[in-house]
Amino acid sequence: ESTREFLKLYLVGVLLTIITLGIYRPWFKNNLRVFLSNRCRFGSVHFHFDGVGGEYARLYWKSVLLCVVTLGIYIPWMIRDLEAYRLRHASFQGRRFDLTIRGGQVLVYGLVSYFGTILSFGIALPWLFNWGVRLLVENISIEDGLSLELVRAQSSDGSAPAEDFVDQYDLGLGF
């Protein structure tokens, strides 16, 4: 059932994004995040996402405008602002996440990654990727009061969406 809901949400979102020449994209991305995040759990505790499409769209289009006006210089700050919005509207056990990374850090990472990849012919890519993940993880926080003792292991009675999709359309993949 959730696979059908997701497929409907996804296809309608893609269609509206195409029809509106991309204007619907932030609403679509927000709707996907609401759908997926509210169905994710860690053990017995569910994540929650309460981002609002209109808020996210205003932030997105303001950032796009600033990127155009600054000839792309604002891109790292746009990335930072959009990720911060997503994290600030996500919660676990009612505790909100936060992102403390600054746009300048994203800029430095982007420039070093770009030139490091080119100058090393891709050899530095694993180290650069690791640096990016570490930079992100070190700058994500969650409000105090998280109680991991309340998390219990829980078996899943659902299946992966891809399995449902394959079963739905009886696609014999030979596995």
Side-chain angles (χ1 to χ4, degrees):
E1 182 61 33
S2 66
T3 304
R4 280 194 190 116
E5 289 176 58
F6 178 77
L7 199 55
K8 180 181 175 188
L9 175 71
Y10 189 81
L11 293 175
V12 167
V14 167
L15 185 63
L16 286 172
T17 301
I18 291 169
I19 290 171
T20 62
L21 303 175
I23 292 171
Y24 185 72
R25 184 174 190 267
W27 283 274
F28 176 40
K29 287 186 73 166
N30 191 74
N31 290 343
L32 286 178
R33 184 156 309 260
V34 167
F35 183 90
L36 295 172
S37 295
N38 291 339
R39 284 166 175 73
C40 287
R41 62 182 169 82
F42 177 66
S44 59
V45 181
H46 284 269
F47 287 89
H48 182 70
F49 182 76
D50 62 3
V52 178
E55 278 179 15
Y56 184 70
R58 276 189 297 283
L59 177 63
Y60 179 87
W61 289 113
K62 177 195 85 159
S63 297
V64 167
L65 179 64
L66 286 170
C67 286
V68 171
V69 170
T70 63
L71 303 175
I73 293 171
Y74 189 75
I75 289 173
W77 287 268
M78 176 183 180
I79 292 168
R80 186 254 177 247
D81 290 347
L82 295 177
E83 286 305 318
Y85 178 87
R86 291 180 197 130
L87 281 167
R88 288 183 181 138
H89 287 274
S91 61
F92 181 75
Q93 289 185 341
R95 306 292 187 266
R96 295 224 177 254
F97 292 91
D98 194 16
L99 183 65
T100 58
I101 197 169
R102 295 180 313 275
Q105 291 173 286
V106 178
L107 176 65
V108 168
Y109 172 72
L111 290 172
V112 170
S113 295
Y114 178 77
F115 290 110
T117 301
I118 291 172
L119 296 173
S120 72
F121 300 104
I123 294 171
L125 199 55
W127 288 276
L128 294 167
F129 180 77
N130 185 52
W131 176 32
V133 170
R134 189 180 66 213
L135 189 64
L136 187 62
V137 169
E138 288 175 352
N139 285 284
I140 292 177
S141 62
I142 190 165
E143 293 175 343
D144 288 338
L146 190 64
S147 181
L148 293 179
E149 307 85 51
L150 298 175
V151 177
R152 300 284 179 247
Q154 183 175 334
S155 64
S156 177
D157 53 353
S159 65
E163 285 182 25
D164 287 347
F165 184 77
V166 169
D167 290 345
Q168 182 74 26
Y169 292 98
D170 195 28
L171 301 173
L173 300 179
F175 297 115

